Every structure is written in structure tokens, then in C-alpha cells.
Amino acid sequence: MPDSTPGEVYAGLDERQSYELDRRCDYHPPKNLETAEAHAAWRKTIKGVMAEAMRSLPAGRETSMVLTALDDALMYGNAAIARPPMSGGRKVGH
């Protein structure tokens, strides 16, 4: 697939699927200061929770899994901030 042209990537997809593919895979730089601040606030929140986990949980597999889950939460939270909304998706806070 790396050798495919951009048009080939969308072959066989309807408009909704093409939008979803772009929403999931394209780079979405911060559009404004508010978005950049939302990323920074999310990173700060997760970093604080990670630090507490490192301080208070005993070393072991479970603690490692907690840190991995927090890595995932950081990534998914940033993706949620950066990506355009899903068509028909829920509103913030619901």
C-alpha cells in the first residue's frame, strides 16, 4: 500500500468512510492557542497521575500496566483534542 497514489487510498470508500479515514490518520496541528492549551492541560493531568503512580505503587507488573494505560490515555486524549469531531458524534461533556 505505501506505493499507492492518494486517490487509490480512497477507492471503494464512500464519503463518510473517506472523512473517517482522514479524521483518524491525518496530522491535525493545533489550530489555535486554545487547542494547544488543551493539549498542554491534558499532558499535565496525565503526568501528575503518572507521577503519583510512580511514587505510591509498588514496582511490578500491575504498576507497569497502570503506566502503560496512562500512556494510552495520554495518546487517546490528545487524539480526541486534535482530530475533527466524528460525524454524528456526541457533544463534549456527554
Side-chain angles (χ1 to χ4, degrees):
M1 190 66 129
D3 296 317
S4 64
T5 63
E8 290 174 342
V9 171
Y10 299 101
L13 301 180
D14 63 26
E15 187 176 333
R16 181 189 58 79
Q17 291 169 319
S18 296
Y19 174 82
E20 184 63 13
L21 182 64
D22 289 344
R23 190 187 76 77
R24 287 174 177 256
C25 297
D26 289 356
Y27 173 64
H28 306 290
K31 291 183 172 61
N32 52 45
L33 182 59
E34 182 180 328
T35 301
E37 288 173 345
H39 282 291
W42 183 244
R43 282 191 303 273
K44 182 179 179 181
T45 298
I46 296 298
K47 192 173 188 178
V49 175
M50 279 186 162
E52 182 58 31
M54 290 174 174
R55 277 191 293 270
S56 62
L57 298 175
R61 179 175 180 273
E62 291 79 7
T63 297
S64 179
M65 291 179 72
V66 166
L67 296 174
T68 299
L70 290 168
D71 281 334
D72 289 347
L74 177 62
M75 177 191 64
Y76 287 125
N78 277 321
I81 294 165
R83 291 175 176 170
M86 284 177 37
S87 58
R90 68 176 182 80
K91 304 286 187 255
V92 173
H94 290 107

